């Protein structure tokens, strides 16, 4: 939420310094994420003064330059070389003095320096309109009114608008703070509680009155559930034109583009009160009738952005006697909007059902300011008051007359919500003992009305501006906010319940793996579990968990796999030339089937690019499938698992299943080209995916056994096997495991050699074997016997020849 400091202070009796106001806002739960100065003219014309041209002569060395002397209110006039054709003596001009920085409408900022131009000294610059950022004209220097005093700062004459802009991080329930008046109400309540009685200055005037009844409109609300209140008024004789400067300044400061005086007033009221308005060209209201209703599914409607949309039966529409004019609370139509030829308008102020508006907004991908406010709920009691305020403001900036009595269709007035809070409950939740008078003072300053007061309880009526408040805990939150969240007392003793051992094992395992991978140069990431449905084909769509109220059109499903969110991160980095990535993540996936929803936690590693950068001592080493297999084995061994094996999946290319102690733990894959193309990735990406529950179960089965370190030396022997090129090391491992040689502690592939001398379609694989006995030193005869057993096995099982 963007809040203007100048605008906000208009509703407070006394201005508060921006930094202090920022602390107050954060203290009452309206966290200030940023506070920045806004300048309509960047630099605020600092260093630019009004000058008087005393003399103007031709430059001796340049036909298009003039030598001028300028009086800027000092004893010695400035010497300025000027290239403008319209410069002349006795003119009042804007002069950028030495040291001043100016910000042109186009191009880079310029800082004035004393210089020599074609041999003549120049101590500043006489400025054109565009050079100071005041406009786009560059026909020549600005000639100012003759009554101005030389030496006067230009800012005093031009009065460039400046402001401070707060960016407030609102929680979804705080619709009451989605306006300047709403924020001012909270600040006033804080000041009332902590300093002195402070009341918000209300901008509403009691001067609303119809000038005539020349343009009456009939309003019919067919769907009063989705539109519980609808108000409107006609204004004739308006002149659509640019808005006055004060209105443009306020809107521009908070990032709203000025369109015209009518539309700008509706946007101004929206950000002032939180109530969306809509202005229809009165000529578009055929039959002088407004009908609020639903239309048939499939009905075509062209919106203001000139896109034809297919409506749904649940979409609420504002119609005239013949056709639809506007998607209620979301977006206007192309035929009914205000334009330069508009001379009369129908101004609408309504309250629409939040759920209906959100569904329509998400269905059509129209995330407008109006929709975001309606979907959070608005103050239904303020609908007519805001309309009166807007009508009078339009008369002020666009002229015209109010041409009908105020229309207000409100068949079923909404009762106020009542909530009762007990003193002991307040103390239990807040941890603080509040006096009853302070509680009443805080609540009444926020607009609550005391309905009933007892010895140990207080019943209040909730203002319509706070539709999220319905239970006692909500009142505790309001009291804590205004008292100041920083004022929550910290007890001298804190009791902590010990964690459950089962959970401790899981978290300790995560920490252990994370430390290991960080030590190897990997970076932990945390990606969004909500992703885009377009990443998944029809085969997966039936099992995907779809969001009912998705945050945006792109974030509409819960991720069924970790791959896509990881690839999004990789694509984001590679697009910014960060191509060597080693990442890991602990996250969850979500699926739905006949049994219901399923949530599964995963541990994933993503790698792409080079594992080693090129240097003077080493060459670039790209990440490949084998290095990832080694990493996967190292991670599992670090967790204490043994007998790790990997098997290629027959149905899936470039994917292996990973086992430890014959238990399936997960998969390692080289991501396919089709999936890489979805994210516009050109380099190979590898992914290790281990369902974390499988890993935890496997680790929990490990029995820790302590034994004495072997006193006797290990013996190593090497063997070179000539095998078919298709033979994998896994086949050699399986053959050895089948022999069950207890004294064989370890085997390792340390070289692969290919040559035509070995024979057609042959390669040599050099394997190192480590033998050890806990009870004695192995003899050569014992080792030779085991090696012969291995050789016979290799010759028989994999048709290997022993290379000598």
């Amino acid at each position: 939420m963007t809040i203007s400091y100048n605008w906000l202070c208009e509703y407070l009796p006394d201005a508060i310094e921006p930094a202090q106001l920022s602390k107050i806002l954060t203290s009452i739960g309206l966290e200030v994420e940023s506070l920045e100065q806004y300048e309509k003219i960047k630099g605020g014309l600092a260093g630019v003064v009004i000058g008087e041209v005393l003399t103007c002569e031709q430059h001796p060395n340049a036909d298009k330059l003039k030598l001028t002397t300028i009086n800027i209110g000092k004893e010695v006039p400035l010497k300025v070389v000027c290239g403008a054709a319209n410069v002349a003596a006795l003119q009042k001009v804007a002069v950028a003095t030495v040291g001043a920085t100016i910000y042109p409408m186009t191009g880079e900022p310029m800082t004035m320096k004393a210089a020599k131009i074609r041999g003549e000294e120049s101590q500043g610059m006489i400025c054109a309109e565009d050079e100071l950022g005041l406009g786009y004209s560059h026909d020549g220097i600005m000639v100012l009114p003759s009554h101005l005093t030389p030496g006067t700062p230009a800012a005093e004459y031009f009065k460039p608008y400046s402001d401070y802009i707060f960016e407030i991080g609102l929680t979804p329930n705080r619709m009451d703070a989605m306006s300047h008046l709403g924020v001012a109400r909270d600040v006033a309540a804080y000041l009332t509680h902590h300093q002195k009685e402070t009341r918000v200055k209300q901008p509403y005037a009691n001067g609303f009155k119809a000038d005539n009844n020349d343009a009456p409109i009939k309003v019919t609300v067919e769907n009063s559930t989705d539109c519980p209140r609808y108000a409107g008024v006609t204004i004739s004789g308006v002149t659509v034109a640019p808005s006055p400067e004060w209105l443009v300044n306020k809107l521009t400061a908070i990032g709203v583009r000025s369109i015209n005086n009518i539309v700008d007033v509706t946007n101004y009221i929206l950000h002032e009160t939180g109530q969306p308005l809509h202005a229809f060209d009165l000529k578009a209201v055929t039959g002088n009738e407004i009908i609020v209703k639903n239309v048939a599914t499939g009905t075509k409607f062209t919106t203001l952005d000139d896109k034809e949309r297919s409506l749904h039966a649940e979409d609420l529409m504002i119609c005239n006697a013949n056709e639809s004019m506007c998607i209620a609370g979301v977006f206007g139509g192309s035929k009914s909007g205000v334009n330069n030829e508009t001379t009369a308008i129908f101004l609408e102020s309504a309250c629409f059902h939040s759920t209906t508006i959100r569904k329509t907004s998400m269905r059509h991908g129209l995330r407008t300011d109006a929709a975001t406010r309606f979907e959070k709920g608005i103050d239904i009691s303020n609908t007519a008051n805001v309309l009166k305020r807007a009508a009078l403001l339009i008369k002020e900036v666009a002229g015209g007359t109010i041409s009908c009595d105020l229309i207000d269709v409100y068949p079923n007035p909404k009762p106020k919500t009542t909530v009762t809070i007990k003193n002991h409950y307040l103390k239990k939740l807040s941890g603080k003992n509040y006096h009853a008078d302070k509680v009443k003072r805080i609540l009444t300053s926020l607009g609550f009305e005391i309905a009933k007061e007892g010895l140990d309880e207080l019943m209040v009526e909730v203002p319509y501006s706070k539709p999220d408040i319905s239970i006692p805990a909500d009142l505790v939150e309001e009291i804590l906010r205004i008292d100041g969240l920083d004022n929550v007392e910290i007890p001298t003793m804190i009791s902590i319940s010990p964690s459950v051992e089962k959970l401790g094992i899981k978290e300790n395992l995560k920490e252990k793996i994370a430390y290991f991978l960080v030590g190897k140069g990997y970076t932990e990431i945390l990606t969004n579990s909500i992703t885009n449905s377009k990443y998944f084909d029809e085969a997966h769509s039936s099992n995907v968990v779809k969001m009912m109220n998705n945050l945006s059109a792109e974030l509409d499903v819960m991720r069924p796999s970790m791959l896509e969110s990881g690839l999004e991160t990789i694509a984001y980095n590679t697009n910014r030339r960060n191509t060597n990535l080693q990442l890991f993540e602990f996250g969850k996936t979500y699926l739905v089937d006949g049994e219901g929803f399923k949530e599964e936690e995963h541990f994933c590693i993503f790698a792409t690019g080079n594992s080693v950068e090129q240097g003077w001592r080493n060459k670039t080493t790209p990440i490949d499938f084998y290095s990832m297999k080694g990493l996967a084995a190292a991670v599992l061994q670090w967790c204490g698992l043994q007998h790790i094996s990997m098997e290629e999946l027959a149905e899936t290319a470039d994917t292996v299943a990973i086992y430890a102690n014959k238990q399936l733990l997960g998969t390692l894959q080289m991501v396919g080209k089709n999936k890489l193309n979805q994210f516009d990735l050109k380099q190979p990406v590898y992914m290790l995916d281990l369902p974390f529950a499988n890993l935890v179960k496997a680790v929990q089965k490990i029995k820790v056994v302590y034994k004495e370190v072997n006193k006797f030396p290990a013996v190593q022997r090497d063997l070179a096997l000539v095998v078919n090129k298709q033979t994998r090391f896994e086949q050699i491992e399986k053959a050895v495991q089948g022999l069950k040689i207890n004294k064989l502690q370890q085997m390792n592939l340390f070289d692969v050699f290919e040559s035509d001398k070995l024979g057609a379609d042959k390669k040599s694989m050099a394997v190192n074997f480590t033998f050890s006995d806990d009870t004695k030193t192995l003899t050569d005869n014992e080792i030779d016997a085991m090696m012969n057993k291995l050789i016979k096995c290799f010759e028989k099982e994999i048709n290997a020849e022993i290379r000598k």
Side-chain angles (χ1 to χ4, degrees):
M1 179 65 193
T2 305
I3 294 294
S4 157
Y5 170 75
N6 291 347
W7 197 346
L8 183 64
C9 286
E10 290 181 7
Y11 309 121
L12 299 174
D14 300 303
I16 306 171
E17 288 297 317
Q20 179 61 24
L21 184 57
S22 178
K23 291 180 180 179
I24 292 174
L25 292 173
T26 300
S27 178
I28 59 179
L30 303 177
E31 182 182 0
V32 176
E33 296 178 341
S34 68
L35 171 60
E36 297 180 356
Q37 186 174 16
Y38 167 81
E39 294 176 318
K40 185 177 182 180
I41 300 173
K42 196 169 182 181
L45 300 179
V48 181
V49 298
I50 305 299
E52 180 181 15
V53 181
L54 300 177
T55 63
C56 179
E57 300 174 356
Q58 183 64 44
H59 194 295
N61 301 318
D63 294 338
K64 294 184 178 181
L65 298 179
K66 302 286 180 66
L67 299 180
T68 67
T69 57
I70 311 292
N71 174 19
I72 61 167
K74 296 184 178 181
E75 292 182 5
V76 181
L78 294 183
K79 296 179 180 180
V80 177
V81 177
C82 181
N86 67 327
V87 65
L90 304 180
Q91 290 175 338
K92 297 293 175 65
V93 293
V95 182
T97 58
V98 172
T101 300
I102 60 175
Y103 298 83
M105 297 299 288
T106 58
E108 296 297 319
M110 295 185 291
T111 300
M112 297 299 105
K113 298 179 181 179
K116 282 195 174 183
I117 302 176
R118 294 290 183 93
E120 297 293 334
E121 186 178 1
S122 184
Q123 298 170 320
M125 177 179 174
I126 305 175
C127 300
E129 183 180 280
D130 67 328
E131 290 168 336
L132 292 178
L134 294 168
Y136 289 93
S137 174
H138 195 68
D139 295 336
I141 62 167
M142 287 187 296
V143 180
L144 305 177
S146 59
H147 68 273
L148 297 179
T149 303
T152 303
E156 290 186 14
Y157 172 68
F158 291 105
K159 293 181 171 53
Y161 185 78
S162 65
D163 198 353
Y164 289 93
I165 302 301
F166 298 93
E167 285 296 336
I168 296 176
L170 284 182
T171 52
N173 65 313
R174 291 304 310 279
M175 60 72 51
D176 59 305
M178 293 186 72
S179 66
H180 285 77
L181 270 173
V183 173
R185 189 184 300 114
D186 268 11
V187 173
Y190 177 89
L191 296 175
T192 296
H193 176 61
H194 290 277
Q195 298 178 14
K196 63 179 181 178
E197 183 74 22
T198 304
R199 294 187 180 275
V200 173
K201 294 180 181 178
Q202 292 293 341
Y204 307 117
N206 296 323
F208 178 86
K209 182 181 178 182
D211 297 305
N212 54 60
N213 199 30
D214 295 342
I217 297 292
K218 179 184 177 183
V219 174
T220 304
V221 179
E222 293 186 3
N223 185 347
S224 59
T225 301
D226 289 341
C227 179
R229 189 173 190 180
Y230 189 95
V233 69
T234 57
I235 307 174
S236 303
V238 297
T239 302
V240 177
S243 295
E245 187 176 9
W246 69 266
L247 182 53
V248 174
N249 286 340
K250 284 191 173 182
L251 294 178
T252 306
I254 61 172
V256 178
R257 181 172 62 91
S258 176
I259 299 173
N260 59 54
N261 48 6
I262 304 295
V263 176
D264 287 355
V265 166
T266 62
N267 285 329
Y268 176 83
I269 295 296
L270 170 71
H271 289 277
E272 179 185 62
T273 67
Q275 170 69 53
L277 303 175
H278 190 76
F280 298 93
D281 190 323
L282 193 59
K283 292 193 297 291
V285 187
T286 57
N288 294 329
E289 185 175 10
I290 293 286
I291 306 171
V292 185
K293 64 179 182 178
N294 299 89
V295 296
T297 296
T299 301
K300 302 300 180 183
F301 179 69
T302 304
T303 47
L304 272 173
D305 55 2
D306 291 324
K307 291 183 179 179
E308 186 179 74
R309 303 178 188 273
S310 181
L311 300 177
H312 190 277
E314 293 181 358
D315 295 336
L316 190 65
M317 303 299 295
I318 310 299
C319 309
N320 58 30
N322 301 320
E323 60 183 351
S324 298
M325 297 190 297
C326 173
I327 303 177
V330 179
F331 210 42
S334 61
K335 298 179 181 179
S336 62
V338 173
N339 54 60
N340 293 335
E341 285 73 43
T342 299
T343 58
I345 63 170
F346 176 77
L347 188 62
E348 165 196 283
S349 176
C351 179
F352 301 114
H353 195 280
S354 57
T355 304
T356 299
I357 297 303
R358 178 167 178 82
K359 286 182 177 180
T360 297
S361 171
M362 300 307 298
R363 188 180 295 121
H364 298 290
L366 293 169
R367 305 296 296 148
T368 60
D369 282 345
T372 55
R373 282 162 174 80
F374 278 125
E375 70 185 24
K376 288 176 171 49
I378 64 167
D379 184 353
I380 194 171
S381 68
N382 223 16
T383 304
N385 289 334
V386 169
L387 182 62
K388 294 176 184 178
R389 157 81 166 152
L392 293 175
L393 198 52
I394 287 175
K395 282 186 66 177
E396 177 185 330
V397 302
T401 58
I402 298 174
S403 302
C404 76
D405 293 325
L406 185 77
I407 304 162
D408 187 8
V409 181
Y410 193 16
N412 303 303
K414 182 180 178 181
K416 280 191 173 182
T417 302
T418 59
V419 181
T420 300
I421 183 170
K422 295 183 180 294
N423 293 341
H424 70 274
Y425 181 79
L426 172 60
K427 183 178 180 180
K428 178 182 177 182
L429 261 65
S430 67
K432 193 170 181 179
N433 194 10
Y434 286 97
H435 192 278
D437 290 341
K438 284 189 175 182
V439 173
K440 288 190 290 183
R441 185 181 176 87
I442 290 173
L443 293 178
T444 53
S445 66
L446 288 171
F448 293 86
E449 295 181 3
I450 308 300
K452 184 180 178 182
E453 186 176 358
L455 291 175
D456 187 44
E457 65 180 15
L458 185 68
M459 179 187 290
V460 295
E461 292 182 346
V462 180
Y464 292 106
S465 60
K466 295 181 176 291
D468 63 302
I469 293 179
S470 59
I471 58 176
D474 296 330
L475 292 182
V476 176
E477 179 187 359
E478 294 295 286
I479 294 166
L480 280 172
R481 280 196 316 105
I482 302 306
D483 185 40
L485 298 177
D486 293 337
N487 294 328
V488 175
E489 298 176 356
I490 300 176
T492 56
M493 184 178 69
I494 300 175
S495 300
I496 301 175
S497 300
S499 61
V500 179
E501 180 62 23
K502 186 177 181 181
L503 181 61
I505 293 173
K506 179 180 174 182
E507 296 305 318
N508 288 339
L509 183 60
K510 283 185 180 180
E511 189 173 4
K512 185 175 183 178
I513 294 172
Y515 276 128
F516 175 77
L517 290 173
V518 169
K520 285 194 168 290
Y522 277 71
T523 301
E524 184 171 8
I525 60 174
L526 179 65
T527 59
N528 197 345
S529 58
I530 307 174
T531 188
N532 197 331
S533 59
K534 73 176 183 180
Y535 296 149
F536 310 101
D537 54 29
E538 294 182 1
H540 295 88
S541 61
S542 60
N543 294 328
V544 170
V545 179
K546 298 178 181 178
M547 303 285 291
M548 293 180 65
N549 293 319
N550 42 308
L551 299 174
S552 67
E554 291 76 26
L555 300 174
D556 57 345
V557 297
M558 303 295 287
R559 62 182 174 197
S561 77
M562 299 288 291
L563 175 61
E564 288 72 21
S565 54
L567 292 179
E568 278 185 333
T569 301
I570 292 172
Y572 181 88
N573 281 272
T574 55
N575 288 340
R576 289 156 180 79
R577 299 187 179 181
N578 184 20
T579 56
N580 302 324
L581 299 168
Q582 296 172 296
L583 313 171
F584 70 95
E585 178 178 15
F586 296 96
K588 294 180 180 180
T589 61
Y590 307 84
L591 290 171
V592 62
D593 56 22
E595 298 178 1
F597 295 102
K598 292 185 177 180
E599 177 184 87
E600 185 175 39
E601 192 168 3
H602 290 253
F603 161 60
C604 295
I605 295 177
F606 302 93
T608 185
N610 299 322
S611 60
V612 178
E613 295 282 358
Q614 185 170 350
W616 69 276
R617 295 186 63 188
N618 52 270
K619 295 181 180 180
T620 299
T621 304
I623 295 169
D624 58 19
F625 205 81
Y626 299 104
S627 62
M628 290 300 295
K629 287 175 69 175
L631 178 68
V635 170
L636 296 178
Q637 288 170 354
W638 180 254
C639 294
L641 298 173
Q642 297 178 346
H643 306 299
I644 298 162
S645 61
M646 302 185 190
E647 293 183 4
E648 209 173 59
L649 297 178
E651 68 275 10
T652 307
D654 299 322
T655 302
V656 296
I658 302 173
Y659 296 85
N661 298 321
K662 297 183 180 181
Q663 178 184 344
L664 177 64
L665 296 183
T667 58
L668 171 65
Q669 65 169 307
M670 178 179 179
V671 181
K673 289 185 178 179
N674 290 339
K675 184 59 73 172
L676 293 178
N677 290 338
Q678 269 190 320
F679 296 87
D680 197 25
L681 289 169
K682 309 299 182 185
Q683 60 192 53
V685 177
Y686 301 91
M687 176 190 180
L688 171 68
D689 183 8
L690 302 177
F692 201 64
N694 294 353
L695 188 58
V696 172
K697 287 179 182 178
V699 170
Q700 286 178 323
K701 291 179 180 179
I702 298 173
K703 292 182 179 179
V704 179
V705 178
Y706 298 91
K707 65 179 182 178
E708 186 180 356
V709 176
N710 193 355
K711 302 176 183 178
F712 304 99
V715 180
Q716 294 186 352
R717 292 286 179 89
D718 296 338
L719 199 63
L721 308 174
V722 178
V723 295
N724 292 329
K725 283 187 178 181
Q726 293 76 24
T727 302
R728 295 178 176 271
F729 183 63
E730 297 165 10
Q731 295 173 259
I732 298 175
E733 285 183 309
K734 286 185 177 180
V736 173
Q737 289 170 2
L739 294 176
K740 297 181 180 180
I741 301 176
N742 295 330
K743 294 181 176 60
L744 178 60
Q745 301 298 313
Q746 187 178 347
M747 60 182 295
N748 179 46
L749 176 68
F750 67 90
D751 185 47
V752 177
F753 172 71
E754 295 183 9
S755 172
D756 294 338
K757 295 179 181 179
L758 296 174
D761 201 29
K762 295 287 186 179
K763 66 180 178 182
S764 173
M765 302 178 74
V767 185
N768 172 265
F769 300 92
T770 302
F771 301 94
S772 177
D773 192 330
D774 294 341
T775 60
K776 64 176 183 175
T777 300
L778 292 171
T779 64
D780 287 343
N781 290 335
E782 290 173 320
I783 295 170
D784 289 340
M786 289 185 284
M787 289 298 297
N788 290 331
K789 191 174 183 181
L790 289 170
I791 291 171
K792 290 179 182 179
C793 174
F794 295 147
E795 290 175 341
K796 181 179 179 181
E797 297 291 335
I798 58 176
N799 297 319
E801 297 178 15
I802 306 305
R803 186 178 171 210
K804 299 181 180 178

